[in-house]
Amino acid sequence: MTLIKKVSTSSRNGDVSALLTLIVAAFAKNDWTADTYLSSVIKTIGEYDTSLTEALKRLQVFSQMADKDHARDMVIRSLFKLVEGYTHIPIAEVQEAAVVVYDVLDQYGLGIQFDDQAKESAEINSLLNDLAKPDIAAANAKLQGVADLVAALTAAQKDFETVALQQAEGEGAKQDLATASKLKKAALKELNDNMVGYMNTMTKVKPDTYKATAQTISELIDSNNEKVKRRRTESETEADAEVI
């Protein structure tokens, strides 16, 4: 009877990353140096664990960049719309101040939010510098909410630049880092093709040495596979509900 089942190939990158970490920890509770084959497998699994963790962190930064970029885009839209709205208010002082500010915004255009991220950053920084000029800042002060949006855009731009710097540093240090999906595929192959069969065989040959660890790994993999299965079932149920 098979003790350890293979890891579901439907496991997500994050699933496999978490599973690798737990399996490495399970093996670490014993000294396997006498088993050269298993030691090599454990070393390989550990390397995949480290690499996949780094890859997912890198992907998280990309995701954060998209979120931060969206955040500043939303502020830009609000700023343009608010100032444009003030240009239609029939109060001379307000309208005059709004035209001064809108003329600055119009030089850049609402379309800057659709530029590539690097170009948009340059445009936003230039816009913020223009909006900080004394005469423009004075006009902003006459338009309720505009100064707050300028401050919000400044903060959003700083947030984006912070994450962009993290991404650039990670890119420079990890030029040859494989993608998370490729790492997951390779890690699953190592687990399913090399570790599972070997541990099942050695559990029968030397149960006193291997069985306890094999049982722990079996439970970890079963838990992962059940989570994957449950997630797939829930997705199918939702799809059926939509059809109905």
Side-chain angles (χ1 to χ4, degrees), residues 150-194:
V150 172
L153 180 57
T154 301
Q157 177 61 16
K158 287 182 178 179
D159 283 347
F160 177 84
E161 289 176 341
T162 297
V163 175
L165 178 60
Q166 292 174 0
Q167 188 274 327
E169 291 173 343
E171 189 74 22
K174 307 291 180 184
Q175 289 289 341
D176 58 346
L177 186 64
T179 64
S181 294
K182 288 182 179 178
L183 283 167
K184 182 196 78 170
K185 185 176 180 180
L188 284 174
K189 182 175 178 60
E190 183 67 24
L191 291 173
N192 291 337
D193 293 356
N194 298 328

Side-chain angles (χ1 to χ4, degrees), residues 25-38:
F27 277 124
K29 292 182 178 181
N30 294 283
D31 181 5
W32 303 99
T33 53
D35 187 330
T36 55
Y37 177 82
L38 184 58

Side-chain angles (χ1 to χ4, degrees), residues 128-154:
L128 289 172
N129 285 333
D130 287 345
L131 291 173
K133 292 177 180 178
D135 56 329
I136 308 302
N140 286 337
K142 297 177 182 179
L143 306 173
Q144 186 176 358
V146 171
D148 291 336
L149 284 175
V150 172
L153 180 57
T154 301

Side-chain angles (χ1 to χ4, degrees), residues 10 33 83 90-91 96 102 148 160 176 194 218 232 240:
S10 296
T33 53
V83 173
I91 302 175
E96 289 171 5
Y102 191 78
D148 291 336
F160 177 84
D176 58 346
N194 298 328
S218 176
R232 184 169 59 242
D240 290 341

Side-chain angles (χ1 to χ4, degrees), residues 70-81:
H70 178 69
R72 64 181 183 173
D73 287 347
M74 295 301 292
V75 179
I76 288 172
R77 293 177 196 174
S78 296
L79 178 60
F80 270 76
K81 289 183 179 297

Side-chain angles (χ1 to χ4, degrees), residues 44 97 103 155 174 213 216 234 243:
T44 301
D103 284 346
K174 307 291 180 184
T213 300
T216 299
E234 289 173 352
V243 172

Side-chain angles (χ1 to χ4, degrees), residues 19 217-228 230:
L19 181 59
I217 293 174
S218 176
E219 291 172 3
L220 293 173
I221 293 177
D222 285 348
S223 178
N224 173 80
N225 291 349
E226 180 59 31
K227 178 172 63 177
V228 173
R230 184 168 60 250

Side-chain angles (χ1 to χ4, degrees), residues 10-183:
S10 296
S11 300
R12 295 175 178 174
N13 294 337
D15 297 334
V16 176
S17 178
L19 181 59
L20 287 171
T21 300
L22 293 171
I23 289 176
V24 168
F27 277 124
K29 292 182 178 181
N30 294 283
D31 181 5
W32 303 99
T33 53
D35 187 330
T36 55
Y37 177 82
L38 184 58
S39 294
S40 176
V41 171
I42 293 171
K43 181 176 181 293
T44 301
I45 292 173
E47 290 170 351
Y48 282 131
D49 179 31
T50 300
S51 297
L52 186 53
T53 298
E54 291 174 348
L56 290 176
K57 285 181 180 178
R58 184 179 169 189
L59 289 175
Q60 184 178 24
V61 172
F62 278 118
S63 177
Q64 289 175 349
M65 282 185 67
D67 291 341
K68 297 298 183 182
D69 184 40
H70 178 69
R72 64 181 183 173
D73 287 347
M74 295 301 292
V75 179
I76 288 172
R77 293 177 196 174
S78 296
L79 178 60
F80 270 76
K81 289 183 179 297
L82 181 59
V83 173
E84 183 182 14
Y86 276 127
T87 63
H88 299 292
I89 292 181
I91 302 175
E93 183 181 14
V94 172
Q95 203 170 63
E96 289 171 5
V99 169
V100 170
V101 178
Y102 191 78
D103 284 346
V104 174
L105 297 178
D106 196 43
Q107 292 175 28
Y108 296 88
L110 188 56
I112 63 173
Q113 63 183 309
F114 303 116
D115 290 336
D116 65 72
Q117 293 178 341
K119 183 178 179 181
E120 182 177 351
S121 285
E123 294 284 348
I124 290 175
N125 284 326
S126 178
L127 171 60
L128 289 172
N129 285 333
D130 287 345
L131 291 173
K133 292 177 180 178
D135 56 329
I136 308 302
N140 286 337
K142 297 177 182 179
L143 306 173
Q144 186 176 358
V146 171
D148 291 336
L149 284 175
V150 172
L153 180 57
T154 301
Q157 177 61 16
K158 287 182 178 179
D159 283 347
F160 177 84
E161 289 176 341
T162 297
V163 175
L165 178 60
Q166 292 174 0
Q167 188 274 327
E169 291 173 343
E171 189 74 22
K174 307 291 180 184
Q175 289 289 341
D176 58 346
L177 186 64
T179 64
S181 294
K182 288 182 179 178
L183 283 167

